Amino acid sequence: MKNIIKKNKSNKEAIFFLLSYLGVIPFIALTLLIWLLDEKNLQKFSDLLIFYTYLIFTFVGAVYWGITIKEKNQPKFRLVISILPVFIIMIIEFFINLLIIKKIILIILFFNLFLIFEVFLFKKKVIPKWFYLLRVKLNVIVTFFLLLALIKVF
């Protein structure tokens, strides 16, 4: 598999692709567990899926912190956007008492809104095309599995 990835990608890109797709496995596994296990375990695995989604969402934001601090002219707007996922999660978790259904809907919404921001960054040539396309694919996969989980917990 390593050679297949390396054929078409640089080493840096290959590592990003490999780690990114490995990061999707918990979305798939947890969604399957939510569907396959009994109602007694539904809450536990739904909470775990939400927790993992929060981690990934903060990681996506953190990528832009890293990109921005490398630039000479550090746009403050991008620094704010890079930490925005943490504040969104804090509001969802600590300040608003939401049911799991609403949490899933909100995190799907914010994941996709963040992708819209990434369209802007791609057009401004802040992020490379391969990274943007990877993010689009991963976003579709994550959204799909979160929607499947939403259907089950609804």
Side-chain angles (χ1 to χ4, degrees):
M1 180 164 171
K2 189 175 177 183
N3 290 335
I4 294 170
I5 293 173
K6 278 188 173 182
K7 249 185 207 179
N8 299 321
K9 314 262 182 269
S10 71
N11 284 341
K12 185 170 125 180
E13 291 175 40
I15 292 168
F16 273 98
F17 274 78
L18 180 63
L19 292 175
S20 296
Y21 282 106
L22 286 174
V24 169
I25 292 171
F27 287 103
I28 298 166
L30 289 168
T31 302
L32 286 173
L33 287 170
I34 287 168
W35 274 91
L36 297 176
L37 295 178
D38 57 12
E39 291 292 319
K40 184 175 74 172
N41 292 305
L42 182 66
Q43 184 68 42
K44 179 176 26 174
F45 287 103
S46 298
D47 287 341
L48 193 53
L49 178 63
I50 290 295
F51 177 73
Y52 184 72
T53 305
Y54 287 167
L55 287 174
I56 296 301
F57 189 48
T58 57
F59 180 76
V60 169
V63 167
Y64 293 98
W65 179 274
I67 289 171
T68 304
I69 62 172
K70 285 184 174 186
E71 296 178 347
K72 253 186 194 179
N73 179 18
Q74 299 172 346
K76 289 175 180 52
F77 175 71
R78 272 192 259 149
L79 287 174
V80 171
I81 290 294
S82 71
I83 60 170
L84 194 60
V86 173
F87 290 109
I88 290 170
I89 291 165
M90 285 174 56
I91 291 167
I92 291 172
E93 267 311 302
F94 301 115
F95 300 113
I96 306 172
N97 188 15
L98 294 176
L99 298 172
I100 193 84
I101 296 166
K102 291 180 181 176
K103 287 180 184 180
I104 294 172
I105 291 169
L106 280 177
I107 201 68
I108 289 170
L109 174 71
F110 286 119
F111 248 105
N112 287 284
L113 286 174
F114 209 84
L115 186 64
I116 292 169
F117 170 70
E118 290 175 309
V119 171
F120 168 77
L121 292 178
F122 172 66
K123 288 181 179 178
K124 292 281 187 178
K125 300 192 187 298
V126 174
I127 55 175
K129 183 177 182 178
W130 67 265
F131 182 75
Y132 170 71
L133 294 174
L134 175 64
R135 281 286 301 120
V136 169
K137 290 173 188 172
L138 293 171
N139 209 81
V140 168
I141 294 168
V142 168
T143 300
F144 175 76
F145 282 99
L146 287 173
L147 286 171
L148 280 179
L150 179 65
I151 290 167
K152 178 63 176 177
V153 299
F154 193 66

